[in-house]
Amino acid sequence: MAYPPQSEVFPESNRDSDAGAAFVLESKGKWWHAGFHLTTAIVGPTILTLPYAFRGLGWGLGFLCLTVMGIVTFYAYYLMSMVLDHCEKAGRRHIRFRELAADVLGSGWMFYFVIFIQTTINTGVSIGAILLSGECLQILYSNISPNGTLKLYEFIAMVTVVMIVLSQLPTFHSLRHLNMASLFLSLGYTFLVVGACIHAGLSRNAPPRDYSLESSESARVFSAFTSISIIAAIFGNGILPEIQATLAPPATGKMFKGLLMCYSVIVVTFYSAAVSGYWVFGNKSNSNILKSLMPDEGPALAPTWVLGLGVIFVLLQLFAIGLVYSQVAYEIMEKNSADVKQGMFSKRNVIPRLILRSLYVIFCGFMASMLPFFGDINGVVGAVGFIPLDFILPMLLYNMTYKPKKSSITYLINISIVIVFTGAGFMGAFSSVRKLVLDAKKFKLFSSDVVD
């Protein structure tokens, strides 16, 4: 159990007795390493859900929401990096989101609020990463052996074993090379999927296109807010302070360069995946556009080797994503279980690390097997997790730190964002939970099919 920070200061010297900080969040990285971590945290296979999100919004509103979310999140992350830089210059370098929120907002309960939300996000994304990895293996297997008997939960078990091994990489910084590869993998499968969608749209077997929304006005509203929550989840990360913690001090200004790297990749991947997928499949878009390209009935709508390579790229990147989003959980575990005086690779620290991280991954794998709700999980996580941490708290933290005049443009923009996204978060949470309840009627425990 993590404990709230004391109200006085957060001196850097605390890291000397804090194993979570000294080990998991060691500060050795360059700005481009932060860019790799950010890109892995944001640009993942969830972008293949964007056509599915567009089907609840349509072309115009879909483009608008995607663009607004991109601008707001970049702005929010930049403001948060400025707050972190300000605290560092004042002698209080924060390496954890929860400590930053509690210090700046002056409230102990914020510590527990943030740690609860972060845990929800980390666990939700880890479950989603393992679930989608298992689905990728199932897709490959079903094409190689159409009459095979292996079920989805068996592939999830295979993925879980691999994740247990990879989880033993001791520090966030040690993931930098994996996350660099992750960046190129995201570009690789995006280009492959976009090419496959263009091929499918121009082929003789092109599916009929229908971009109409739900017939009922209430259903359209619920679908729209669910889609907004999904897009929020895709843009969110909720761990920017922990990523900035991996930078070698002084960290001032370095995160902005990492953000520019990350959002350059976002512009290329998000729009191309959303447009090409929705253009081909319209309101029949699947929560994983790869499954739309490989329908259960009829031939694949793109060359098999292209789709197979895309699935492999997705699978490989999911391992990196699962590792990135597990770091906060590992840091919390190690803060309380490890002894910083005995070294990162001492027997005293390696054994608890092996046991605790393995148990965490096994739990995520079990939940992924039991609840195959990939698209719906995205919506719920976006509404209850990413919207508060990535769209609301950065604005409040900036206003409390820099105290802009209430009549200033900055203050008014920040407060407007807080109000708008607070409302969107509540509506998105309600809509996403509603969809989960509706989907539960056609869901079986340990099903071999992911419910859309």
Side-chain angles (χ1 to χ4, degrees), residues 2 35 39-40 79-80 89 143 180 197 249 251 264 284 302 310 325 341 352 438 443:
T39 304
T40 300
L79 291 189
M80 190 181 296
K89 291 176 182 177
N143 280 273
M180 178 181 68
C197 286
S264 297
K284 301 299 181 184
Y325 277 97
K341 297 178 181 179
L438 293 175
F443 163 72

Side-chain angles (χ1 to χ4, degrees), residues 138-298:
Q138 185 185 43
I139 290 171
L140 293 172
Y141 174 74
S142 63
N143 280 273
I144 295 172
S145 179
N147 299 316
T149 58
L150 293 180
K151 304 298 183 183
L152 176 62
Y153 63 83
E154 294 175 281
F155 295 110
I156 289 174
M158 299 176 196
V159 171
T160 301
V161 171
V162 176
M163 286 298 298
I164 288 173
V165 175
L166 293 176
S167 71
Q168 300 309 310
L169 289 169
T171 71
F172 205 153
H173 180 63
S174 65
L175 305 181
R176 63 195 183 281
H177 298 114
L178 285 175
N179 289 340
M180 178 181 68
S182 168
L183 186 155
F184 289 108
L185 286 169
S186 67
L187 291 171
Y189 64 69
T190 299
F191 293 148
L192 288 169
V193 167
V194 169
C197 286
I198 293 172
H199 179 276
L202 299 177
S203 70
R204 296 178 181 177
N205 297 322
R209 296 184 189 117
D210 183 359
Y211 305 115
S212 62
L213 302 178
E214 301 277 359
S215 56
S216 159
E217 183 175 350
S218 60
R220 285 200 300 271
V221 171
F222 285 127
S223 295
F225 277 104
T226 299
S227 295
I228 289 170
S229 297
I230 290 173
I231 295 174
I234 294 171
F235 271 107
N237 72 78
I239 53 174
L240 186 136
E242 285 78 9
I243 292 175
Q244 186 156 330
T246 65
L247 291 169
T252 302
K254 295 177 182 176
M255 185 55 75
F256 180 69
K257 296 179 182 178
L259 281 168
L260 289 178
M261 173 194 287
C262 175
Y263 274 77
S264 297
V265 178
I266 284 174
V267 170
V268 172
T269 56
F270 280 39
Y271 283 94
S272 58
V275 171
S276 60
Y278 188 61
W279 169 69
V280 178
F281 298 104
N283 59 17
K284 301 299 181 184
S285 297
N286 196 286
S287 64
N288 180 354
I289 204 65
L290 282 170
K291 292 186 71 175
S292 296
L293 291 164
M294 292 182 282
D296 294 332
E297 299 179 1

Side-chain angles (χ1 to χ4, degrees), residues 12 56 69 74 81 85 136 146 161 192 204 208 272 303 322 330 350 355 387 405-407 416 435 439 446 452:
E12 187 73 16
M69 292 283 192
F74 182 89
S81 71
D85 291 345
C136 287
V161 171
L192 288 169
R204 296 178 181 177
S272 58
Y330 297 159
V350 168
I355 294 172
I387 285 181
K405 293 181 179 180
K406 292 185 178 180
S407 59
S416 298
K435 190 171 188 305
D439 285 344
F446 300 100
D452 289 324

Side-chain angles (χ1 to χ4, degrees), residues 188-446:
Y189 64 69
T190 299
F191 293 148
L192 288 169
V193 167
V194 169
C197 286
I198 293 172
H199 179 276
L202 299 177
S203 70
R204 296 178 181 177
N205 297 322
R209 296 184 189 117
D210 183 359
Y211 305 115
S212 62
L213 302 178
E214 301 277 359
S215 56
S216 159
E217 183 175 350
S218 60
R220 285 200 300 271
V221 171
F222 285 127
S223 295
F225 277 104
T226 299
S227 295
I228 289 170
S229 297
I230 290 173
I231 295 174
I234 294 171
F235 271 107
N237 72 78
I239 53 174
L240 186 136
E242 285 78 9
I243 292 175
Q244 186 156 330
T246 65
L247 291 169
T252 302
K254 295 177 182 176
M255 185 55 75
F256 180 69
K257 296 179 182 178
L259 281 168
L260 289 178
M261 173 194 287
C262 175
Y263 274 77
S264 297
V265 178
I266 284 174
V267 170
V268 172
T269 56
F270 280 39
Y271 283 94
S272 58
V275 171
S276 60
Y278 188 61
W279 169 69
V280 178
F281 298 104
N283 59 17
K284 301 299 181 184
S285 297
N286 196 286
S287 64
N288 180 354
I289 204 65
L290 282 170
K291 292 186 71 175
S292 296
L293 291 164
M294 292 182 282
D296 294 332
E297 299 179 1
L301 300 177
T304 303
W305 72 268
V306 171
L307 298 175
L309 190 58
V311 171
I312 292 170
F313 284 1
V314 167
L315 173 64
L316 293 175
Q317 198 208 16
L318 283 165
F319 292 126
I321 292 171
L323 290 172
V324 164
Y325 277 97
S326 298
Q327 294 307 304
V328 173
Y330 297 159
E331 175 267 312
I332 292 172
M333 295 174 191
E334 221 143 304
K335 179 179 173 66
N336 296 279
S337 67
D339 183 352
V340 71
K341 297 178 181 179
Q342 297 199 34
M344 187 184 301
F345 298 104
S346 66
K347 183 178 180 181
R348 161 66 181 79
N349 291 328
V350 168
I351 293 176
R353 181 188 305 139
L354 176 63
I355 294 172
L356 291 173
R357 294 189 180 191
S358 298
L359 288 174
Y360 177 79
V361 175
I362 289 170
F363 169 77
C364 292
F366 177 79
M367 295 302 293
S369 298
M370 189 170 68
L371 303 171
F373 272 45
F374 179 65
D376 292 354
I377 285 174
N378 261 347
V380 176
V381 170
V384 305
F386 288 118
I387 285 181
L389 291 191
D390 295 324
F391 294 85
I392 297 173
L393 271 178
M395 315 303 164
L396 298 178
L397 293 173
Y398 181 87
N399 284 354
M400 290 292 291
T401 300
Y402 286 91
K403 296 180 171 56
K405 293 181 179 180
K406 292 185 178 180
S407 59
S408 67
I409 296 297
T410 300
Y411 182 87
L412 294 175
I413 289 174
N414 291 351
I415 291 300
S416 298
I417 291 172
V418 169
I419 293 171
V420 169
F421 282 95
T422 297
F426 280 117
M427 285 298 299
F430 180 80
S431 300
S432 299
V433 170
R434 171 182 173 272
K435 190 171 188 305
L436 269 174
V437 172
L438 293 175
D439 285 344
K441 296 177 181 178
K442 53 182 178 180
F443 163 72
K444 296 179 180 179
L445 292 177
F446 300 100

Side-chain angles (χ1 to χ4, degrees), residues 46-59:
T46 48
I47 66 175
L48 304 181
T49 310
L50 282 170
Y52 175 79
F54 265 48
R55 83 180 197 180
L57 296 167
W59 280 114

